[in-house]
């Protein structure tokens, strides 16, 4: 019998918990390149309050806070978020960063039109089905104010790991315990319906290297 989406998500959550437990601060302290780019985009759009999805141990959330934004950092791994909170305390940023344990397959824990910007680096390409990704986009749209900006990154179908390892269907492939939904350009375009798609920028990260798109889209004002 094929595994359910719930079973896959539960296994992935445990895997991320264990990974952050065994490798605290695994992504390092420096912000990701997409976060550095996004900060400039958010600033130009007069963003104050940010929501970060899949923040992990917080290399980017802490950077945004240092840059003067107020950040709600969410992730389904309490272990990662605990590392984030500890670093925020050490860096004197606790007032600017709050955390919430949250699985993006659930409604976002925010009121309608309550944030100026949303950032998600390598979160939408986790073990989420196409339907779950569309539902998440509807939630991001709900919590963003009119004119708000969404910057996200995803691994895509030209990545070396696409169609290798264990297949879970729906373009989800698993390597070393990490399941990834590899995005097609059609999926990116379908997620931008009703938004203004500003940019789809190809870039690489890490040693493989991972091949990603950085997508910037805004809500009509
Ligand atoms: C590839 S890591 C990126 C972490 C962080 N954005 C960074 O770049 O440093 C993906 C993150 O998404 C989280 N994650 C995966 N599936 C999730 C889900 N369904 N809901 C919330 N977080 C999830 C993982 O715990 C992990 O922290």
């Amino acid at each position: 019998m094929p595994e359910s989406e719930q079973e896959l998500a539960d296994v992935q959550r445990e895997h991320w918990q264990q990974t952050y437990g065994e490798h605290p601060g695994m992504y390092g302290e420096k912000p990701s390149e997409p976060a550095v780019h996004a900060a400039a985009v958010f600033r130009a759009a007069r963003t104050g309050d940010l929501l970060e999805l899949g923040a992990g141990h917080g290399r980017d959330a802490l950077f945004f806070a240092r840059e003067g934004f107020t950040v709600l950092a969410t992730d389904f791994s309490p272990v990662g978020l605990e590392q984030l909170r500890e670093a925020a305390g050490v860096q004197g940023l606790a007032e600017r960063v709050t955390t919430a344990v949250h699985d993006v397959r659930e409604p976002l824990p925010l009121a309608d039109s309550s944030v100026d910007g949303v950032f998600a680096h390598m979160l939408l390409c986790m073990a989420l089905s196409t339907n779950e990704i569309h539902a998440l986009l509807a939630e991001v749209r709900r919590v963003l104010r009119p004119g708000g900006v969404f910057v996200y990154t995803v691994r895509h179908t030209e990545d070396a790991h696409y169609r290798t390892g264990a297949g879970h269907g729906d373009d989800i492939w698993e390597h070393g315990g990490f399941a990834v939904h590899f995005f097609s350009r059609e999926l990116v375009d379908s997620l931008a319906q009703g938004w203004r798609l500003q940019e789809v920028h190809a870039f690489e990260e890490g040693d493989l290297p991972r091949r990603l798109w950085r997508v910037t889209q805004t809500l009509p004002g």
Side-chain angles (χ1 to χ4, degrees):
M1 198 173 101
E3 69 192 331
S4 68
E5 288 171 2
Q6 184 65 48
E7 282 165 349
L8 179 60
D10 290 347
V11 170
Q12 284 299 301
R13 184 180 168 125
E14 262 325 293
H15 189 66
W16 278 104
Q17 286 279 86
Q18 194 184 335
T19 303
Y20 284 129
E22 288 172 1
H23 308 280
M26 61 185 268
Y27 289 109
E29 289 182 7
K30 286 191 191 150
S32 67
E33 283 182 25
V36 173
H37 174 85
V41 173
F42 290 140
R43 198 168 293 110
R46 297 170 193 232
T47 299
D49 293 327
L50 273 181
L51 167 66
E52 183 178 355
L53 304 171
H57 63 76
R59 59 174 168 163
D60 293 335
L62 295 167
F63 163 71
F64 289 131
R66 286 194 298 274
E67 290 290 300
F69 300 99
T70 302
V71 190
L72 171 60
T74 67
D75 200 286
F76 72 177
S77 168
V79 176
L81 291 181
E82 177 55 37
Q83 293 168 10
L84 190 163
R85 276 196 303 278
E86 212 179 296
V90 170
Q91 295 178 34
L93 296 169
E95 283 184 10
R96 283 196 182 283
V97 193
T98 49
T99 62
V101 177
H102 175 260
D103 187 321
V104 292
R105 293 169 309 137
E106 302 294 329
L108 293 172
L110 286 169
D112 296 358
S113 306
S114 56
V115 289
D116 304 315
V118 178
F119 180 75
H121 182 28
M122 290 190 291
L123 177 274
L124 271 65
C125 60
M126 293 290 96
L128 302 167
S129 69
T130 300
N131 284 343
E132 288 169 339
I133 295 166
H134 275 281
L136 173 56
L137 260 284
E139 275 295 287
V140 170
R141 192 184 174 105
R142 179 183 68 74
V143 303
L144 259 185
R145 65 156 166 82
V149 186
F150 182 27
V151 180
Y152 72 87
T153 72
V154 284
R155 290 173 75 177
H156 60 70
T157 50
E158 282 165 35
D159 189 285
H161 278 168
Y162 178 51
R163 288 193 174 142
T164 67
H168 293 276
D170 203 7
D171 276 343
I172 299 173
W173 295 86
E174 182 182 329
H175 256 275
F178 294 101
V180 174
H181 188 139
F182 292 92
F183 270 48
S184 64
R185 179 57 203 242
E186 290 71 31
L187 181 53
V188 169
D189 288 340
S190 71
L191 295 174
Q193 276 176 24
W195 298 70
R196 290 201 186 100
L197 183 57
Q198 310 281 6
E199 184 191 42
V200 181
H201 169 77
F203 71 102
E204 296 181 351
E205 188 179 275
D207 292 333
L208 183 60
R210 294 184 282 271
R211 292 220 166 99
L212 300 110
W213 286 320
R214 184 189 70 217
V215 180
T216 306
Q217 56 189 54
T218 56
L219 275 184

